[in-house]
Amino acid sequence: MEVYENENDQVEAVKRFFAENGKALVVGVVLGIGALVGWRYWNSHQADSAMASSLEYQTVTSNVRADQPATLSAAEKFAAATDNTYGALTSLELAQQYADKNDLAKAAAQLQQALTKTKDANLQALINLRLARVQVQLKQADAALKTLEGIKGEGWVAIVADMRGEALLSKGDKQGARDAWSKGAQSDASPALREMMQMKINNLSS
């Protein structure tokens, strides 16, 4: 630590500091201001982008209809180009449209794309659950079971158990299905879901 004998020493020390570090300080200040402005611009840009995505999402999904290829095409382009939750939600809507048309391969493709568009754990869980259901319908039980492994969280235990039972039953594994539904029925599921799984267990015995 530098020791100053009087006020003049302090003044000279300040002069030396700026003489030696002046350029670095100017650059630092400029960079700091630039970073602040850039951060504010980025936040503003993100907000504007999200608003634009929201408006376009509402327009695209309100018009999309399975019997009108042009609306499906417009929604597909928006979903593919939009790397945020609105892209994921659009893919979800498209997957439903394709599933309703029994075009399950396209439904699965949209759901797989949706997974790449969001990091929200609950939305990813919902997408994975729907994907597993489509995979069971496509007779891809092993793929469905793997998809279900990606769903985490206590709130999903019962519904995942129900879907796991369906996947195992589609493979001919009645005991595995029974175990899955029994686990689901014993979990903190809604009364309606517990009753449904118990009915499925009873049907295995009949």
Side-chain angles (χ1 to χ4, degrees), residues 85-102:
T85 299
Y86 295 109
L89 292 173
T90 304
S91 284
L92 265 177
E93 174 64 28
L94 282 165
Q96 185 62 57
Q97 295 286 338
Y98 286 128
D100 290 344
K101 290 176 64 179
N102 205 35

Side-chain angles (χ1 to χ4, degrees), residues 149-161:
E149 290 176 2
I151 301 177
K152 310 298 181 184
E154 288 298 317
W156 297 94
V157 169
I159 197 165
V160 166

Side-chain angles (χ1 to χ4, degrees), residues 123-184:
L123 183 53
Q124 285 185 333
L126 174 60
I127 295 166
N128 273 318
L129 187 66
R130 291 192 180 182
L131 177 58
R133 184 171 290 116
V134 169
Q135 287 169 330
V136 169
Q137 291 176 289
L138 286 167
K139 302 188 185 307
Q140 299 172 355
D142 288 334
L145 291 168
K146 186 173 182 180
T147 296
L148 291 171
E149 290 176 2
I151 301 177
K152 310 298 181 184
E154 288 298 317
W156 297 94
V157 169
I159 197 165
V160 166
D162 180 45
M163 196 66 243
R164 182 174 286 112
E166 293 290 343
L168 290 167
L169 185 62
S170 74
K171 291 180 63 175
D173 185 356
K174 289 187 177 182
Q175 186 57 50
R178 183 190 302 276
D179 292 343
W181 288 329
S182 296
K183 179 181 177 181

Side-chain angles (χ1 to χ4, degrees), residues 52-69:
S53 292
S54 174
L55 292 173
E56 191 169 356
Y57 164 74
Q58 292 174 24
T59 301
V60 166
T61 55
S62 63
N63 292 332
V64 66
R65 288 180 55 181
D67 60 347
Q68 294 183 5

